[in-house]
């Protein structure tokens, strides 16, 4: 293992490098752009580009790339060399300020939701100076935003940056009204926890569904799954530990603060968590994490599965997003302090989030909506699709006292008594943790547990930023109206709690009683992606995004169309894959085994053996084969295109018809797998995959 402190950030054009390579004037001007949002002048860009090019070339980089995050679910890049040929046959290395701040990829080949047509190809990438450039594979990667010729956001970074700007504006208004004159900036902070599966490359290559869809479209449950709870936090297998060691080094070199790693609940499942950073950088870092997970696994003859539900019947994979707000003075606005009942600033910001979750549950659900995540949400391993907020007993009691005008009597700090005198005493947290809650307060931050493992963190975070900016805006309007601060603040917190406490729930979100209780409270539940996305373009939501400059109406409608089409296309591809596997692998395997059994039965009859148990097995196989062919036809029929249907109508049809047909076909395949001879059924089963590393 290399020295961590020496390699960390060694391939990042970070603040330390900029201080060394930029003049004080240029450095100060760039920092004003990064911190205060001042416009970047071309002379500054030229100076930075030269320093960046020289630094990159010294580290072996030959090309540069504007690295962006289109709405495809992955990152995109186009490489240009630093090479500039001269007339005398020699060459120079050049990289101008214009090349740094602007690129021009083809915008028509990415999802646009109708914002661009095929013949309107021009698009732009714009340097994001708030996220550091880095070197990977001999290329200087420059984080950028991606927009159309008309200025519409075609990516995930742009709305994230816009939402951070909107949140900063409204949070500062509230802080000023509370008397804070020192804070100059409020930052959205995030720390993703990335779950993933590792399986052996050889078995992965034999599963067409995993290679194309990222999840198993069929597969009987293994004799042993996660029932014994013996994988969670267990010791790493030697092969996995070697993989993690190399992964960590790669991440640290790129300045990604990989901190925590452990085995997750299901066999073959693991987790990696990053240290907190600003939401923009945390999102960029998580994209790097997912890319390096794949690349590193390949070098170790393994495959990484980032699908939300790669295996039925075992734990799915999430991306828990820890989210909070911090000031440039170092304060965490979600830090309760030792006496949270007296911390008016904390209580006000807490109430802003509670109100936001109650008013905009549709947007939180939309932020995690996908065909893959629908398999996971509500599956007793992940939160249900009903949005609620967990606060814990102490905070709930404080808020109830405030609502009722009572004096809260703080509880005495308790220490853990384990019953062994040699073990250290330590203070017990005031609240437990609720892993069933979709949106839980966990001490000094919120943990959004609904995103799936393959998601970019950008969408969940820009939704949280935007809806919180809206409620803070309303709070600021009241506090700035000339009311007595103390009385107005008390009334504001009390009224917010009375009107929005229905979203607070500290119990078991998995219970059937909660679903009934949530319905009585009037909390919506969006059981599927189409049901959630139907609300995206509501006047309420369009007005919200336009007010805070996160999206215009066209951008909202475009995203709704893209998300719906992605949902339908995902299911369509899954259907085609399973039909291909049925026709080319499963039916031949089943027919081959039946032929073997039939030959055995005839031979035994010929030699006079009356006992013939294979006949019963043969009959069972024959009946299931007939069902398989019938359900194959049902799925094929369900795939008939819905001509002229809107994206929403098409998605609803895929949800109601194609998914049902897929599940029916899978049921029959799984029954056949359990009784078919392994010599004929050569497709790797769950046991072979889950325990392959």
């Amino acid at each position: 293992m290399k020295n961590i402190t020496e390699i960390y950030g060694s391939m990042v054009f970070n603040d330390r490098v900029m201080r060394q390579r930029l003049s004080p004037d240029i450095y100060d001007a760039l920092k004003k752009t990064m911190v205060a949002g001042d416009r970047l002048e071309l002379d500054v860009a030229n100076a930075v580009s030269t320093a960046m090019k020289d630094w990159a070339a010294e580290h072996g980089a030959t090309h540069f790339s504007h690295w962006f995050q289109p709405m495809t679910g992955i990152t995109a890049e186009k490489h240009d060399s630093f090479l500039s040929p001269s007339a005398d046959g020699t060459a120079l290395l050049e990289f101008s300020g214009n090349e740094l701040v602007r690129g021009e990829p083809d915008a028509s080949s990415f999802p646009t939701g109708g914002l661009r047509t095929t013949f309107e190809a021009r698009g732009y990438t714009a340097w994001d100076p708030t996220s550091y450039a880095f070197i990977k594979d001999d290329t200087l990667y420059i984080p950028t935003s991606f927009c159309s010729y008309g200025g519409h956001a075609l990516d995930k970074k742009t709305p994230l940056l816009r939402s951070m700007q909107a949140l900063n504006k409204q949070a500062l208004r509230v802080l000023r009204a509370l008397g804070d004159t020192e804070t100059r900036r409020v930052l959205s902070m995030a720390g993703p926890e990335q779950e993933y599966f590792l399986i052996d490359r050889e078995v992965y290559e034999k599963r067409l569904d995993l290679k194309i869809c990222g999840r198993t479209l069929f597969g009987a449950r293994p004799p042993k799954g996660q029932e014994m709870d013996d994988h969670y936090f267990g010791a790493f297998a030697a092969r996995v530990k070697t993989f993690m060691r190399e992964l960590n080094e790669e991440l640290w070199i790129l300045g990604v603060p990989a901190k925590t790693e452990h085995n997750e609940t299901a066999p073959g499942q693991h987790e990696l968590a990053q240290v907190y950073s600003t939401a923009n950088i945390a999102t960029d870092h998580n994209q790097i994490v997912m890319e390096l997970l794949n690349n590193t696994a390949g070098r170790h003859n393994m495959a990484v599965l980032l699908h939300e539900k790669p295996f039925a019947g075992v734990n799915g994979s999430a991306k828990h997003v820890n989210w909070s707000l911090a000031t440039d003075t170092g304060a965490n606005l979600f830090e309760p302090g030792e006496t949270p009942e007296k911390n008016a600033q904390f209580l006000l910001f807490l109430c802003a989030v509670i109100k936001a979750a109650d008013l905009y549950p549709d947007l939180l659900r939309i932020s995690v909506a996908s065909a893959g995540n629908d398999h996971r949400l509500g599956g007793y391993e992940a939160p249900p699709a009903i949005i609620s907020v967990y606060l814990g007993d102490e905070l709930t009691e404080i808020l109830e006292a405030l609502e009722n005008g009572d004096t809260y009597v703080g509880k005495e700090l308790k220490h853990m008594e384990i019953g062994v005198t040699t073990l250290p005493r330590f203070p017990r947290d005031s609240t437990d943790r609720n892993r069933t809650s979709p949106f839980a307060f966990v001490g000094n931050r919120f943990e959004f547990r609904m995103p799936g493992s393959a998601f970019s963190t950008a969408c969940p975070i820009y939704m949280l930023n935007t809806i919180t900016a809206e409620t803070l805006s309303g709070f600021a309007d009241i506090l700035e109206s000339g009311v007595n601060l103390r009385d107005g603040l008390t009334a504001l917190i009390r009224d917010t709690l009375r009107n929005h406490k229905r979203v607070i729930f500290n119990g078991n979100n998995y219970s059937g009683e909660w679903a009934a209780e949530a319905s009585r409270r009037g909390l919506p539940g969006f059981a599927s992606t189409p049901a959630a996305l139907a609300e995206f373009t509501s006047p309420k939501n369009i007005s919200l995004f336009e007010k805070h400059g996160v999206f215009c109406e066209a951008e909202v409608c475009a995203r709704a169309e893209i998300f719906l089409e992605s949902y339908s296309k995902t299911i369509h591809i899954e259907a085609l894959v399973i039909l291909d596997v049925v026709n080319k692998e499963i039916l031949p395997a089943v027919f081959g085994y039946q032929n073997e059994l039939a030959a055995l039965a005839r031979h035994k009859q010929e030699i006079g053996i009356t006992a013939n148990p294979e006949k019963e097995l043969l009959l069972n196989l024959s009946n299931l084969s007939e069902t398989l062919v019938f359900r194959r036809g049902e799925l094929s029929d369900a795939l008939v295109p819905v001509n002229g249907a809107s994206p929403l109508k098409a998605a609803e049809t895929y949800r109601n018809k194609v998914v049902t047909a897929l599940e029916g076909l899978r049921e029959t395949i799984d029954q056949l797998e359990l009784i078919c001879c392994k010599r004929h059924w050569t497709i790797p089963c769950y046991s072979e995959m889950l325990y392959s590393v």
Side-chain angles (χ1 to χ4, degrees):
M1 172 71 75
K2 301 174 183 176
N3 186 302
I4 299 175
T5 58
E6 290 181 3
I7 66 172
Y8 187 81
S10 58
M11 290 295 177
V12 182
F13 194 76
N14 52 28
D15 193 74
R16 177 182 58 82
V17 177
M18 288 190 290
R19 282 183 179 274
Q20 293 173 348
R21 292 179 173 265
L22 299 176
S23 69
D25 289 346
I26 295 296
Y27 174 81
D28 290 342
L30 179 59
K31 291 298 287 185
K32 286 181 180 179
T33 297
M34 297 172 65
V35 176
D38 290 2
R39 187 173 299 278
L40 184 75
E41 300 298 335
L42 183 58
D43 62 328
V44 177
N46 282 327
V48 173
S49 65
T50 299
M52 196 179 286
K53 177 258 297 178
D54 291 344
W55 171 81
E58 290 171 15
H59 286 81
T62 58
H63 289 68
F64 67 92
S65 174
H66 275 202
W67 184 65
F68 58 103
Q69 301 172 34
M71 290 178 284
T72 56
I74 58 175
T75 57
E77 55 195 66
K78 181 181 75 170
H79 295 201
D80 289 289
S81 73
F82 293 122
L83 190 70
S84 180
S86 301
D88 61 359
T90 61
L92 300 173
L93 297 183
E94 293 185 346
F95 183 47
S96 69
N98 281 326
E99 289 175 307
L100 169 63
V101 301
R102 173 188 137 168
E104 190 178 328
D106 187 334
S108 66
S109 299
F110 293 99
T112 67
L115 290 174
R116 303 291 285 157
T117 59
T118 301
F119 68 88
E120 295 175 313
R122 194 182 299 278
Y124 297 108
T125 50
W127 175 38
D128 171 20
T130 65
S131 185
Y132 297 130
F134 58 93
I135 297 172
K136 181 171 67 69
D137 301 328
D138 299 327
T139 299
L140 173 67
Y141 282 83
I142 303 160
T144 60
S145 290
F146 177 43
C147 67
S148 72
Y149 181 71
H152 293 114
L154 297 179
D155 65 342
K156 298 179 179 180
K157 174 180 280 270
T158 303
L160 176 59
L161 292 173
R162 292 172 177 172
S163 75
M164 293 173 69
Q165 184 171 284
L167 182 61
N168 173 58
K169 177 181 178 180
Q170 302 306 329
L172 283 177
R173 288 180 63 202
V174 171
L175 291 177
R176 293 291 182 267
L178 295 177
D180 181 345
T181 59
E182 294 183 3
T183 299
R184 292 290 177 266
R185 193 178 182 203
V186 175
L187 301 165
S188 172
M189 307 293 291
E193 301 170 15
Q194 177 71 57
E195 294 179 351
Y196 61 94
F197 279 85
L198 280 175
I199 67 171
D200 186 82
R201 192 80 194 182
E202 184 177 351
V203 295
Y204 171 82
E205 292 291 341
K206 295 177 181 178
R207 294 284 309 216
L208 185 66
D209 49 358
L210 281 181
K211 291 172 65 177
I212 294 181
C213 306
R215 77 178 184 102
T216 54
L217 302 176
F218 59 91
R221 294 192 179 190
K224 179 179 181 291
Q226 61 190 61
E227 298 86 355
M228 301 302 293
D229 300 321
D230 55 353
H231 190 262
Y232 192 54
F233 278 35
F236 295 125
R239 189 176 175 189
V240 173
K241 183 60 180 176
T242 302
F243 156 82
M244 288 182 171
R245 184 183 298 114
E246 182 178 333
L247 174 65
N248 283 329
E249 287 187 6
E250 296 280 349
L251 291 171
W252 292 334
I253 287 171
L254 296 180
V256 179
K259 177 73 171 179
T260 304
E261 58 193 21
H262 62 82
N263 287 349
E264 256 298 336
T265 306
Q269 189 182 34
H270 312 279
E271 180 178 299
L272 183 151
Q274 303 169 207
V275 177
Y276 247 55
S277 54
T278 60
N280 176 35
I281 293 176
T283 294
D284 285 355
H285 281 171
N286 186 247
Q287 292 294 145
I288 295 173
V289 166
M290 290 191 287
E291 179 184 341
L292 290 186
L293 278 169
N294 278 303
N295 294 346
T296 309
R299 292 194 293 271
H300 291 262
N301 200 31
M302 294 187 288
V304 161
L305 306 180
L306 290 173
H307 194 281
E308 296 83 359
K309 190 72 172 178
F311 302 102
V314 298
N315 216 47
S317 292
K319 179 174 290 170
H320 300 161
V321 179
N322 295 281
W323 172 78
S324 65
L325 305 180
T327 70
D328 59 345
T329 59
N332 179 357
L333 297 179
F334 292 150
E335 176 58 61
E338 294 183 0
T339 55
E341 69 276 11
K342 299 177 182 178
N343 190 338
Q345 178 176 284
F346 161 72
L347 292 170
L348 188 63
F349 277 87
L350 179 70
C351 285
V353 177
I354 293 170
K355 181 178 180 180
D358 186 40
L359 290 180
Y360 297 98
D362 51 346
L363 292 180
L364 291 180
R365 176 65 177 89
I366 288 166
S367 76
V368 299
S370 74
N373 215 20
D374 279 2
H375 294 289
R376 171 181 159 266
L377 293 178
Y380 296 96
E381 75 212 25
I386 303 168
I387 301 295
S388 64
V389 179
Y390 170 82
L391 298 179
D393 294 337
E394 182 182 37
L395 271 182
T396 302
E397 290 172 8
I398 291 172
L399 296 180
E400 287 175 347
L402 286 170
E403 178 191 353
N404 298 325
D406 299 331
T407 299
Y408 175 76
V409 179
K411 296 181 179 179
E412 182 182 352
L413 180 65
K414 294 184 178 180
H415 285 76
M416 287 298 296
E417 297 292 347
I418 305 177
V420 180
T421 57
T422 56
L423 295 179
R425 293 176 77 243
F426 54 88
R428 189 177 72 176
D429 290 323
S430 59
T431 60
D432 203 345
R433 296 186 68 181
N434 188 334
R435 67 179 301 273
T436 72
S437 176
F439 192 51
F441 187 77
V442 287
N444 60 3
R445 66 192 186 280
F446 283 92
E447 183 180 26
F448 192 25
R449 299 178 58 87
M450 295 181 75
S453 56
F455 273 72
S456 164
T457 61
C459 188
I461 296 173
Y462 72 62
M463 291 296 193
L464 285 168
N465 289 347
T466 305
I467 63 178
T468 304
E470 171 62 12
T471 53
L472 289 174
S473 173
F475 287 1
D477 289 343
I478 294 172
L479 296 174
E480 292 170 349
S481 65
V483 299
N484 177 275
L485 180 58
R486 179 168 181 172
D487 294 341
L489 192 57
T490 301
L492 180 55
I493 293 174
R494 184 176 298 157
D495 291 345
T496 301
L497 293 173
R498 286 174 177 170
N499 294 329
H500 303 287
K501 65 182 179 181
R502 66 174 185 168
V503 79
I504 300 172
F505 180 66
N506 294 333
N508 181 6
N509 287 255
Y510 292 166
S511 69
E513 291 81 3
W514 165 234
E517 170 64 20
S519 179
R520 285 192 293 272
R521 294 187 186 188
L523 298 178
F526 303 99
S528 69
T529 289
L533 290 174
E535 304 297 320
F536 201 178
T537 56
S538 70
K540 167 183 72 81
N541 291 336
I542 290 175
S543 175
L544 168 77
F545 289 123
E546 289 187 329
K547 173 181 176 180
H548 295 285
V550 176
F551 290 129
C552 66
E553 181 175 358
E555 290 171 323
V556 175
C557 294
R559 275 158 179 74
E561 182 176 319
I562 290 168
F563 294 166
L564 286 165
E565 288 183 347
S566 177
Y567 176 86
S568 298
K569 289 175 181 177
T570 297
I571 296 172
H572 190 86
I573 291 170
E574 289 180 348
L576 294 179
V577 167
I578 198 170
L579 288 172
D580 189 63
V581 174
V582 166
N583 291 331
K584 296 178 180 178
E585 296 186 66
I586 294 175
L587 279 175
V590 173
F591 289 157
Y593 188 36
Q594 288 182 67
N595 185 58
E596 183 178 302
L597 289 172
L600 175 61
R602 286 195 301 270
H603 179 65
K604 290 175 70 174
Q605 187 176 17
E606 289 171 359
I607 63 176
I609 298 177
T610 56
N612 213 340
E614 60 276 0
K615 278 189 175 181
E616 181 178 348
L617 178 56
L618 183 59
L619 179 61
N620 193 10
L621 280 167
S622 179
N623 289 336
L624 285 172
S625 299
E626 184 177 350
T627 303
L628 181 68
V629 172
F630 175 76
R631 288 183 167 172
R632 178 189 63 174
E634 282 188 323
L635 179 57
S636 296
D637 293 342
L639 283 178
V640 175
V642 186
N643 293 323
S646 67
L648 177 59
K649 181 64 177 177
E652 290 172 342
T653 300
Y654 274 96
R655 167 71 178 177
N656 297 329
K657 293 185 177 180
V658 180
V659 169
T660 300
L662 268 167
E663 291 172 349
L665 184 57
R666 175 184 187 136
E667 180 184 359
T668 304
I669 295 172
D670 291 356
Q671 289 176 308
L672 283 164
E673 180 186 313
L674 291 172
I675 60 175
C676 194
C677 171
K678 187 60 182 174
R679 283 189 296 104
H680 293 275
W681 192 285
T682 58
I683 306 169
C685 64
Y686 271 25
S687 293
E688 293 173 281
M689 291 183 285
L690 291 171
Y691 297 98
S692 60
V693 295

